[in-house]
Amino acid sequence: MQATIPGDQQDKHSQIELAVERVKTGEQQAYEIIIRQFERQMYTYCFYILKNHEATEDAVQDIFIRAYENLHQYSRQTSFSAWLYKMAYHHLMNIKKKHSRWLRLVQQVKEQDPIVQVSPYKSVIEELLTYLTPEERHILLLKAVEQYSFEEISNIMGLKSATIRKKYERLRRKLLDHRSKGGLVNGQTPNTTL
């Protein structure tokens, strides 16, 4: 993680808010500032949910297009970052719903295999994320990676803060239980239900 200079976060926040206002007044080129600021974060967030580079690139592009089209709905009551993540969350959930039929088929195949082979090059984080539902991955990424508060995550996902907190604690226990039961041994995990 990169060290930040005091006031640096506030400067970035101010620059983004200024860029938003410029775009709202018709200065389309100012949207490039917003894209440059959030493109990498959005890509990482989407990739951990979609696990496919092409689908992730398409999703990020769609999110930025939708954000641009709906920028008039943004107000400073929440940070622009949280507003953008909320838009990303809903877009990714729609993508997941469209692919749910395919995902059920994949799950049935996984349940028939006694051992899931995991590439030795796959990171432990990616491997653990495969055992989480899309909603759990969203919560984990927003809390642990993006470091949003439970209140901000509740605004993004449209759930109560207490619900997010409980779900976060459950998913942490789920991952810890999986590791303690011998998951992630020599690149192989027993195919157990969590």
Side-chain angles (χ1 to χ4, degrees), residues 57-157:
E57 288 173 355
D58 290 344
V60 170
Q61 184 176 5
D62 289 344
I63 290 164
F64 280 115
I65 289 170
R66 287 174 188 220
Y68 179 78
E69 291 171 344
N70 294 293
L71 201 58
H72 63 281
Q73 295 176 354
Y74 168 70
S75 69
R76 290 187 181 203
Q77 292 173 349
T78 61
S79 70
F80 181 79
S81 174
W83 182 81
L84 186 62
Y85 271 95
K86 182 175 185 172
M87 187 163 291
Y89 168 76
H90 289 291
H91 182 67
L92 293 172
M93 292 308 290
N94 287 337
I95 290 172
K96 285 300 203 181
K97 285 177 188 174
K98 289 178 185 176
H99 291 89
S100 66
R101 190 173 182 189
W102 178 81
L103 292 174
R104 275 185 254 137
L105 177 63
V106 169
Q107 187 61 33
Q108 288 172 350
V109 170
K110 283 183 180 180
E111 288 171 359
Q112 293 173 357
D113 293 338
I115 293 180
V116 176
Q117 297 294 327
V118 179
S119 165
Y121 301 107
K122 217 175 195 189
S123 75
V124 172
I125 294 171
E126 288 175 332
E127 193 170 332
L128 285 172
L129 285 174
T130 63
Y131 293 98
L132 299 177
T133 67
E135 180 182 60
E136 290 171 332
R137 277 185 254 154
H138 282 286
I139 293 170
L140 181 64
L141 291 169
L142 289 171
K143 181 66 178 157
V145 178
E146 298 299 330
Q147 300 182 347
Y148 280 109
S149 68
F150 290 115
E151 187 64 36
E152 290 171 318
I153 297 170
S154 75
N155 288 334
I156 291 169
M157 296 180 71

